[in-house]
Amino acid sequence: MLNVDKLADIMNIIFEKCEKCPLEKICDTDCSLVWKYFLESKVKEDGVEK
């Protein structure tokens, strides 16, 4: 499995244009960092677990 940091960087490259990125609404700075937070989050049925 890929390192989360590397995967976040890859996602940042794939979504070069922000308007096509699914995280566009919550991302306002470093896209790689937002992808890392997203990939490390734990999602459960009724929302995000912190």
Side-chain angles (χ1 to χ4, degrees), residues 11 15 17-25 27 31 35:
M11 296 305 289
F15 290 104
K17 298 189 185 253
C18 292
E19 64 271 3
K20 294 183 179 185
C21 178
L23 303 181
E24 175 192 13
K25 302 280 187 205
C27 182
C31 294
W35 272 107

Side-chain angles (χ1 to χ4, degrees), residues 3-33:
N3 177 314
V4 173
D5 292 322
K6 286 194 180 276
L7 187 54
D9 289 339
I10 291 168
M11 296 305 289
N12 186 37
I13 292 168
I14 290 172
F15 290 104
E16 182 181 10
K17 298 189 185 253
C18 292
E19 64 271 3
K20 294 183 179 185
C21 178
L23 303 181
E24 175 192 13
K25 302 280 187 205
I26 62 171
C27 182
D28 60 352
T29 57
D30 181 12
C31 294
S32 292
L33 184 60

